[in-house]
Structure formats: structure tokens, C-alpha cells
Amino acid sequence: MPPSELGLERNDDMDSITPEALRILGELERKVLWLASWTIHHANHLRETGDGLKVGGHQASSASLATIMTALYFHALRPQDRVAVKPHASPNFHAIQYLLGRQTREKLEAFRGYKGAQSYPSRTKDADDVDFSTGSVGLGVAQTLFSSLVQDYVRAHGWGLGRPEGRMIALVGDAELDEGNIFEAILEGWKQGLRNCWWIIDYNRQSLDAVIREGLWARYEALFRAFGWDVVILKYGSLLQQAFREPGGERLRDWIDNCPNQLYSALVFQGGAAWRKRLNDEIGDQGDVTRLIERRSDDELARLMTNLAGHDLPSLLDAFGQVDHDRPICFICYTIKGFGLPFAGHKDNHAGLMTPAQMESFRQAMRIRPGHEWDKFEGLSVAPEEIQKFLDRVPFARRAARRAVPAIEVPAALDVAIQPTMSTQTGFGAILNELGKQETGLAQRIVTTSPDVTVSTNLGAWVNRRSLFARQAMADTFKSERIPSTFSWEFSPKGQHIELGIAESNLFILLSALGLSHAINGERLLPIGTLYDPFIARGLDALNYACYQDARFILVATPSGITLAPEGGAHQSIAQPLIGLAQDGLAAFEPAFVDELAVILAFAFAYIQKDGDAGASERNWLRDETGGSIYLRLSTRPIEQPRRAMTPELRQEIIDGAYWLRPPGPNCQVVVAYTGAVAPEAIQAVGLMAEDRRDVGLLAVTSADRLNAGWTAAQRARERGLVHARAHIERLLDAVPSHCGLVTVLDGHPATLAWLGAVRGHRVRSLGVEHFGQTGSIAELYRHYGIDANAIVAAAQAIAPGKPIRYLRALG
Ligand SMILES: Cc1ncc(C[n+]2csc(CCOP(=O)(O)OP(=O)(O)O)c2C)c(N)n1
Ligand SMILES: [Mg+2]
């Protein structure tokens, strides 16, 4: 394959950076530093919010990356490359986009303000085409790695071959590398044969609180090399390299190499005279090196001693330009936090803000006239036309605007053979098995993944049919040796299951990458990730991150709750239904029956592809046109399945979040509302009460999340004057007399359904699990935690008026 097809071609003029281009890049670097610093200053000192909140944490962090980002965005990046920018370098990114005509002055002026450029780069909230959101450190970094794997997945399946391969690049804070999720990702990348991934470490040796440990770079180097990465260490800039070639230069290099990080930072902050004193004290009177120092003025000495490669355009351009392969690379770039600003190197500078007086001196040094602070070409020593001509030719700026990608067709119903008794987890496996037999567009675009729980979450049959993905085929030795096994573990480039090691963060970041394939690769994937429900908590921040950047996927969590009885408390989830209720961008369902699950999955495949901007539907007050991701909380408990026809009305109600399994009669005294695996207990309790409580209603809640969201939205709509707005749950509870008691029950935290009592003011008693589970049988545990039929009946008696319920009396 020619290099151009591999996406390895360099930028046209990468090899030959003319002195003129270098000069312009130098001017742009100054401009980025100025605009980023000014943007933050403006947000703090010039925009009146009256809140008294200051915006720290940006000027120093941004300055640290100003040179690297100039080299990348104005030169080295190609239109197909994608970048995750360190959260606190957001002002640099917006300034660069502004210079390229892709960001407005209004947004910069409103930085960190209402509708302004975002504090941390945001794919969804910023208008200047952020590739990957960042904010929670470590996650954006790992996202680039997984995006690169997804790019390989897409191409291996024969899609998007007309587009050049992109590099996935992360600008990484050195302290960001403390986050464990990064190491989990590196390990996974090694297993999967990672390519086309650059991590550029902003090695300023400072975190938020402090200066980092000595020699950390060496641990990084060893670590990255161990996992198959190239490591490029960019330490000294061109001025220092020249000085090292002067007589006495080697001695100077030794001194710097041995200088502790804290001392180096302190001297950076103190400036030229301090450098001179220290150097003279420690290596003075040594002939050549003394003369080397003495030949320079204080300013020149400070410039020399802070000329690290991360602030040296020629070094950076050369390093980026030399790459002619697709192996993953870690660039360790030495930088100075706050470079070029008065608090450079100071260990407390993370939240540092230049004072108005300091800003004034900086403005003068940058030759910016008052009132011209936002002018793009103000204070530069190159003619505006020249710079504009240069900007017009920047390769990165040639990238196309975001485009909508057509949706994959989804049938109205998914096939599944329903057994008289089965669990939702078995049902899920059976539905995927059916899909696995098909060659529809839907079946081809599904990609499944699981953190080492593929088989135990019931994806085995699907994987047997569609095989595992790897860029190089790998046989299943058990199969070739004819050893009987239920599962074929064959890898091929056409495989549709990505096997992950046990790391739930990786699962969510991979789902985030797969779920953005339409935006990144122009090719839609329909990702399904499975895991055990309790372990959602392990990857929760990564899940939140994936949702925040609007990645689209289906999360299938099974088993769940104390229904996992003999497994015990370590594997039983309690709070997850509340996560489902509260997590934005994630619609949560917990079906009890397999026919419900089939309806929900069909909806899910369509829902994850929606990206319309229509308002809420007047039927359920949900923003279904906007779409999002889906969370299915399933169970391993086999339960008796209803034999019923799936009518369009029932289908719609299942999707909307609830339906009457047994509608309340006109004299109803009690309603039981249940979710998920406790359906048999709810049904039994309603039967037991029938003699003593009239017209008992049984409400099947398939999605507390959607019911709640619809209710909130309808109330808000009414408050805004749409007097006829009615939510699905309001319509359902219309039929329930106001004196009726409401008993809610689920295998999860009782607050999930407790709010139902507020919809129409019914008295409510909410049953669920509040304390860690334990081992036992389902019956024992349901009794212990009070979610069995007895508990439901007892709750009904306590809150619903009427004579004592005989069944309970009989129980004594
Ligand atoms: C998960 C998470 N924890 C904590 C923070 C708060 N935080 C923001 S930046 C930062 C330090 C970052 O240091 P480094 O990555 O070296 O970047 P620098 O400030 O040096 O540019 C911390 C702790 C965060 N954003 N995300
Ligand atoms: Mg740092």
C-alpha cells in the first residue's frame, strides 16, 4: 500500500520549514499565549458577573502548552487527525480556533460564561469543533487510544476506506498520568496492536498542588517502551543545544541534568540574576563554563536556561516531522508551567492569575495597544497579509464541517423465541443470537464488547456466530485440537466482538469511542457493552464522560441486585437504578419480561442513532428525537413469562416507561408498582390481597428514568403555559382514586420509585434494598430485605384503608 493510503504522508512542507514560516509560527505562538492569557484575564477582571468567583487554573497550564499546540495546530496536524486537549489548555484551543476563523470573539469574551467558550474543551457545548471532550483528567487521554482501535475496526470491516487514516493525539498533563485508567488503557492498547496514536506529555513537572518527583520521566519511558510504544524525549531546545556545543557546554548540561525539579522551578520563577548566582556558586570558576555564563546578560541567561524543547518550535517541528510510521509514540516534552508569564515555575501557580498590573506589563511587552486586545494581528512583526496567507494554508483548517451520517435501519420488532420461564439475561442472549444469524445492515453494524464477562453476560452465542475482532486472524486452538467447548474463541478482522481485559473504565471509554464512530470515522456503529451491574460503579466517571460527549451505545448490565442471591453482597447492586434515573444522556430500562426486552432493544437501536433537535414529544414529554445512550438493567432470575400479543399500544407504553399489568378498578384501594425481577412477588401479592382489597391495580414500570423525566418535563411545560401538557405517568395514575395507597417495589434502592407518590399525591410506601446484600436463596433474601409478597401485602395494609388483610393474619 502506498504511504498516502496508510495516511503516513507528511504535510506538504513538513520537511522544509522555511525561515519565513518559522518566523510566522513564532509570531503565532506569541499570539496564542497572549490571547489565551487575555481571555482568562477578561473573564476574571473585565466581565462583571457579580458572583465573586475567580477563574484560576488556566493561565499557567495553558502557557505550558502554547508552543506545542502552535506547532501542532498550525503545522503538524492533518485534517484527519483528532486531538484530546488537556483540560486546562482549553483557552489555547479556543485562541487557535479564533485565529483560524473557526471561533468567534463573542465566545472568547464569554469564556467560562453563559453560552461562552467552555472552561474545558467540550465536543457538545463548544462551537469550534472539539474532537474529544476533556475535563476529568485521564479520560480524554485514553479516549484517543480507543478511538484509534475503533478506526482500525471500521477499516478492517471495509468501511471508510476512502478517507485517510487519522492520528489520535492526546495532549497530556504530566500529573494526569497519575490516573490509573491511563495504564489500564495502555495495557489494552498493547493487546490490540495499537497504531496511529500519539501522546504528547506536557512535562512541566508540576501538578495542581506541587512539583513532581525526580526522574518520573524515566519511569514513563520504561513503561511506554514495555508496552511497545516509541518514546521520544524532547528535553533541550535549540538554544541550549547550541550552548552545549560551546566550550564548557557539557558541564552546563550535567548541571541541568542533575538539577532537582524544585530548584529548577524556583530559579525559573526568580529569573536571570538568580540563575547567574546559583550557577556561579555551583559551577563557577571552572574556566569555559564560567565564560559561557558570563557571555550572556541576565535576560539572555534566563532565556537560555528555560529553553526547554517544549517551548522551542524548531525542536518540536522537527520531532513531529520526523515521524514516518504508525507505531504509537509517547513524546515526553519538557515544558515550564506558566512559561512566558510572571508566575512561571512557581509551585503555587496552578490557580495563579495575573494581576491587572502584571497584565498591563504583559500587554506592553506584547506590543498590544489598549482597545486592540482581541485584534488577531495586533503587535506582530509580520504583515497581516502574510500571516493570513499562512493561516489560509494551514492543513488542519481544511477539515470538513461535521456531517450527519445516515441511520442504519432498525426493524419495528426483534425476533426471539420466548420460553415459558426465562430470565431477561437469557432473553438478551437469545435476541442477539437471532441477530447473529442475519446479514442485515443492523446485524453488520452491531459491535459488542465486554470486560472479561462475555460468556457470563450471555453474549456467547452471538460471539460464536460473529467471532472476535483482531486485526490479524487467530485460531481457537481448542477448536483446532477438536477439544469440545461451548464457545468458539476465534479472532478475525471481520469479527464483531472486542474482547477487553477486566477493566470497566476501559469498557466505558471503548464504548465512548465506538459510540462516536459516526462523528470520527463517518461510519456508524451500534455498540453494545455488557458487564455486571455492580461494576458500573467502577467505571462511573468514564460512563459519565462518554455520555457528556454524546457517544451512543447500549449498556447491558447483568446480573443485578440481591436477586443474584448466592453470589453475595460483593456482587449485588443497590444504587444503580438511581444512576439510571440521574445520569444525563442515558435512558435506563429495567424490564421484567423478555417480550418487553425485545421491544426496548428495538427502540434502543433506533434511539442511539437519533440526533434531531425537535422538542419534547407531546405524548410522553421525552426528547426522543435527540437520542442518547441506553442502559438495560437485566436479571439472571428465570421467571414465568406472560403469554400475550404485543400490540402497538403496549409497545409504546413499555417504551414510555410503564403500563397496567392489571388496571385498577373504580373502587381501587391499593396499587402495586414494581420494576424488574420482583414481578412474580408483585403479582403474587396482588393475588393475595384480592379478597380484602378491591380492584387492586398492578403497574409494571419498565423505566423509572423515562417516567420521571417525562413527568418533570410536563410539569415544566405547564409552568410555562402549556396547560394541556400531560406526562405518561400522570395519565396512568389518573385512573387511581386519590385515597388509594401506592406500594412500590424493586430490587434496588427504594427511592427509585418513591417519587411516584408525588405525581398525584397518593400515599406511598416504597420497598427496596438499602443495605449491603448477602448470600442466600432469592426467597430468603427477598424476605430479609422486605421485597417479597408478604412485605408488599404488609405495606399495603399499612397505607391503604380497609379491613385487615386476611392473608397477613393467617401468616400470624
Ligand atoms: C479526575 C480529576 N481529578 C482532579 C481534577 C482537578 N485537577 C485539574 S488539573 C489538575 C492537575 C493537573 O496537573 P497536570 O496534568 O500536570 O497539568 P498542568 O496543570 O501541569 O498543566 C487537577 C488535580 C480533575 N480535573 N480531574
Ligand atoms: Mg503538570
Side-chain angles (χ1 to χ4, degrees):
M1 226 187 272
S4 59
E5 269 179 59
L6 288 168
L8 292 179
E9 86 282 14
R10 298 169 178 202
N11 272 337
D12 306 342
D13 43 8
M14 183 68 102
D15 287 326
S16 52
I17 301 156
T18 61
E20 194 46 34
L22 195 56
R23 195 156 155 239
I24 294 179
L25 284 166
E27 293 295 288
L28 289 170
E29 178 200 2
R30 273 162 38 90
K31 200 76 218 176
V32 170
L33 179 64
W34 163 260
L35 279 172
S37 308
W38 176 252
T39 300
I40 301 156
H41 181 79
H42 185 270
N44 279 289
H45 293 287
L46 302 173
R47 203 176 61 225
E48 283 303 323
T49 65
D51 295 340
L53 297 177
K54 290 284 178 215
V55 181
H58 277 105
Q59 279 176 333
S61 276
S62 273
S64 187
L65 267 177
T67 326
I68 292 171
M69 289 177 73
T70 301
L72 278 177
Y73 280 93
F74 293 115
H75 190 83
L77 289 184
R78 306 157 307 170
Q80 65 269 30
D81 297 333
R82 308 283 173 160
V83 191
V85 176
K86 181 186 79 169
H88 287 76
S90 165
N92 285 347
F93 176 79
H94 296 307
I96 289 168
Q97 296 290 67
Y98 174 64
L99 290 169
L100 290 170
R102 298 158 62 91
Q103 172 64 294
T104 64
R105 174 172 163 178
E106 291 69 41
K107 295 266 184 202
L108 290 188
E109 286 187 17
F111 175 64
R112 292 187 80 143
Y114 188 56
K115 307 237 159 143
Q118 296 294 295
S119 335
Y120 308 109
S122 169
R123 271 198 82 249
T124 50
K125 296 191 159 37
D126 273 316
D128 49 354
D129 199 17
V130 169
D131 293 325
F132 303 114
S133 302
T134 55
S136 176
V137 297
L139 298 178
V141 181
Q143 171 91 27
T144 59
L145 182 151
F146 285 106
S147 283
S148 185
L149 298 181
V150 171
Q151 175 173 259
D152 280 344
Y153 179 94
V154 166
R155 296 174 76 86
H157 286 76
W159 301 314
L161 294 174
R163 299 160 71 108
E165 263 178 18
R167 283 193 187 108
M168 305 297 161
I169 299 173
L171 298 171
V172 191
D174 45 3
E176 202 168 358
L177 279 166
D178 287 331
E179 286 288 358
N181 82 281
I182 293 188
F183 300 95
E184 296 176 7
I186 295 174
L187 182 52
E188 200 60 50
W190 170 76
K191 291 185 205 161
Q192 311 271 354
L194 174 69
R195 317 180 298 139
N196 290 316
C197 188
W198 287 8
W199 286 359
I200 301 174
I201 299 177
D202 177 6
Y203 195 60
N204 60 24
R205 302 167 311 289
Q206 278 186 253
S207 61
L208 191 158
D209 283 338
V211 176
I212 63 171
R213 294 284 186 280
E214 303 305 319
L216 196 57
W217 63 272
R219 314 303 118 187
Y220 293 158
E221 183 185 15
L223 197 124
F224 279 92
R225 287 207 196 281
F227 287 102
W229 290 56
D230 283 16
V231 177
V232 178
I233 298 176
L234 296 173
K235 184 164 184 183
Y236 296 119
S238 41
L239 289 181
L240 271 171
Q241 287 180 23
Q242 269 163 30
F244 295 156
R245 286 194 289 271
E246 291 176 27
E250 279 304 317
R251 184 72 193 86
L252 183 70
R253 179 205 281 267
D254 287 347
W255 186 88
I256 303 181
D257 278 344
N258 290 315
C259 179
N261 290 336
Q262 289 232 31
L263 176 61
Y264 184 87
S265 293
L267 291 170
V268 168
F269 177 71
Q270 289 169 307
W275 280 115
R276 184 177 306 283
K277 177 161 188 332
R278 194 80 195 193
L279 288 169
N280 280 336
D281 286 353
E282 295 201 358
I283 53 173
D285 296 332
Q286 293 191 16
D288 288 342
V289 70
T290 308
R291 278 189 289 283
L292 188 158
I293 296 164
E294 279 173 356
R295 269 197 297 278
R296 282 144 173 108
S297 68
D298 280 359
D299 279 355
E300 284 167 345
L301 189 60
R303 232 179 109 217
L304 176 69
M305 295 305 287
T306 57
N307 177 240
L308 300 182
H311 297 297
D312 187 67
L313 279 171
S315 306
L316 293 168
L317 295 169
D318 185 52
F320 298 149
Q322 273 187 24
V323 180
D324 59 358
H325 59 81
D326 64 2
R327 293 189 299 278
I329 311 179
C330 168
F331 294 92
I332 302 179
C333 296
Y334 278 73
T335 53
I336 291 168
K337 190 159 168 173
F339 186 72
L341 306 179
F343 40 54
H346 197 293
K347 73 178 172 54
D348 303 341
N349 66 8
H350 187 84
L353 270 176
M354 276 191 267
T355 62
Q358 285 174 325
M359 199 66 199
E360 179 59 19
S361 318
F362 188 48
R363 187 184 60 69
Q364 284 168 16
M366 288 279 172
R367 299 190 302 277
I368 309 257
R369 289 166 296 163
H372 293 263
E373 292 86 356
W374 296 108
D375 293 3
K376 287 187 188 173
F377 305 120
E378 177 76 3
L380 301 184
S381 62
V382 177
E385 313 77 66
E386 285 295 300
I387 297 205
Q388 191 57 57
K389 212 164 89 198
F390 181 92
L391 290 174
D392 291 342
R393 291 183 48 227
V394 166
F396 164 81
R398 273 187 253 133
R399 65 153 69 177
R402 290 186 188 178
R403 268 196 309 266
V405 175
I408 309 295
E409 202 181 320
V410 181
L414 297 174
D415 289 341
V416 57
I418 297 178
Q419 311 298 325
T421 297
M422 86 197 283
S423 72
T424 44
Q425 193 207 58
T426 314
F428 168 69
I431 294 171
L432 272 228
N433 185 31
E434 284 302 318
L435 282 167
K437 294 178 191 165
Q438 302 169 9
E439 274 318 316
T440 56
L442 171 67
Q444 281 163 356
R445 296 280 170 157
I446 291 174
V447 47
T448 55
T449 180
S450 186
D452 205 26
V453 288
T454 304
V455 170
S456 47
T457 55
N458 234 323
L459 275 176
W462 158 264
V463 176
N464 279 348
R465 292 191 186 282
R466 311 301 283 209
S467 82
L468 296 112
F469 170 73
R471 276 198 297 124
Q472 256 96 44
M474 257 186 295
D476 178 345
T477 308
F478 276 72
K479 198 169 165 187
S480 47
E481 292 290 322
R482 302 217 168 82
I483 302 172
S485 157
T486 321
F487 301 107
S488 149
W489 218 245
E490 245 163 17
F491 290 83
S492 90
K494 295 278 176 262
Q496 286 182 252
H497 178 73
I498 301 179
E499 182 197 20
L500 285 177
I502 330 167
E504 285 72 18
S505 268
N506 279 346
L507 170 74
F508 290 120
I509 303 174
L510 175 58
L511 286 175
S512 177
L514 290 165
L516 284 176
S517 177
H518 54 285
I520 304 289
N521 302 303
E523 295 291 336
R524 214 176 258 290
L525 297 174
L526 304 172
I528 300 178
T530 66
L531 85 168
Y532 294 177
D533 198 49
F535 305 135
I536 286 180
R538 172 79 73 116
L540 198 50
D541 194 28
L543 169 63
N544 181 59
Y545 171 70
C547 292
Y548 179 66
Q549 60 178 343
D550 202 24
R552 301 303 182 83
F553 52 87
I554 299 172
L555 184 65
V556 182
T558 168
S560 58
I562 59 167
T563 305
L564 186 52
E567 285 284 324
H571 273 43
Q572 295 163 345
S573 56
I574 298 174
Q576 273 61 359
L578 292 175
I579 294 170
L581 195 73
Q583 177 62 55
D584 193 16
L586 191 70
F589 290 90
E590 186 168 352
F593 303 116
V594 175
D595 61 351
E596 295 169 356
L597 174 65
V599 164
I600 293 166
L601 256 182
F603 168 79
F605 283 125
Y607 182 77
I608 62 170
Q609 301 189 66
K610 295 268 162 79
D611 58 1
D613 52 8
S617 138
E618 296 206 2
R619 187 181 41 74
N620 57 15
W621 292 92
L622 294 168
R623 300 178 304 165
D624 283 350
E625 278 316 298
T626 315
S629 287
I630 297 275
Y631 161 32
L632 304 180
R633 188 174 191 247
L634 304 186
S635 171
T636 39
R637 181 187 190 190
I639 62 173
E640 200 181 322
Q641 301 290 309
R643 272 186 296 271
R644 59 187 171 186
M646 185 51 67
T647 62
E649 293 74 28
L650 178 56
R651 185 187 310 273
Q652 189 59 58
E653 290 201 302
I654 289 168
I655 296 303
D656 288 348
Y659 63 93
W660 286 112
L661 197 57
R662 176 177 157 160
N667 301 308
C668 172
Q669 294 167 304
V670 186
V671 161
V672 176
Y674 76 91
T675 280
V678 296
E681 282 63 32
I683 292 168
Q684 193 194 358
V686 168
L688 294 174
M689 285 188 273
E691 283 178 40
D692 298 304
R693 290 290 181 279
R694 271 172 298 174
D695 295 349
V696 179
L698 183 58
L699 186 68
V701 177
T702 48
S703 172
D705 178 27
R706 283 170 60 84
L707 271 191
N708 182 266
W711 176 52
T712 308
Q715 291 177 94
R716 199 181 301 119
R718 283 198 294 272
E719 286 149 19
R720 291 180 181 167
L722 290 166
V723 289
H724 300 298
R726 310 266 296 136
H728 182 55
I729 188 63
E730 290 172 327
R731 272 194 302 267
L732 286 169
L733 295 185
D734 259 356
V736 181
S738 55
H739 64 271
C740 234
L742 197 56
V743 178
T744 69
V745 57
L746 81 158
D747 179 0
H749 197 277
T752 313
L753 294 174
W755 59 273
L756 284 174
V759 175
R760 297 191 48 92
H762 291 110
R763 198 163 168 213
V764 72
R765 168 80 173 95
S766 291
L767 307 178
V769 182
E770 296 150 276
H771 301 293
F772 293 123
Q774 53 190 301
T775 50
S777 68
I778 290 180
E780 284 162 341
L781 297 191
Y782 279 14
R783 191 178 324 123
H784 179 92
Y785 291 95
I787 56 172
D788 62 351
N790 283 346
I792 298 170
V793 174
Q797 167 151 308
I799 60 162
K803 57 184 177 183
I805 297 176
R806 267 169 280 178
Y807 168 73
L808 270 187
R809 255 204 332 246
L811 269 179

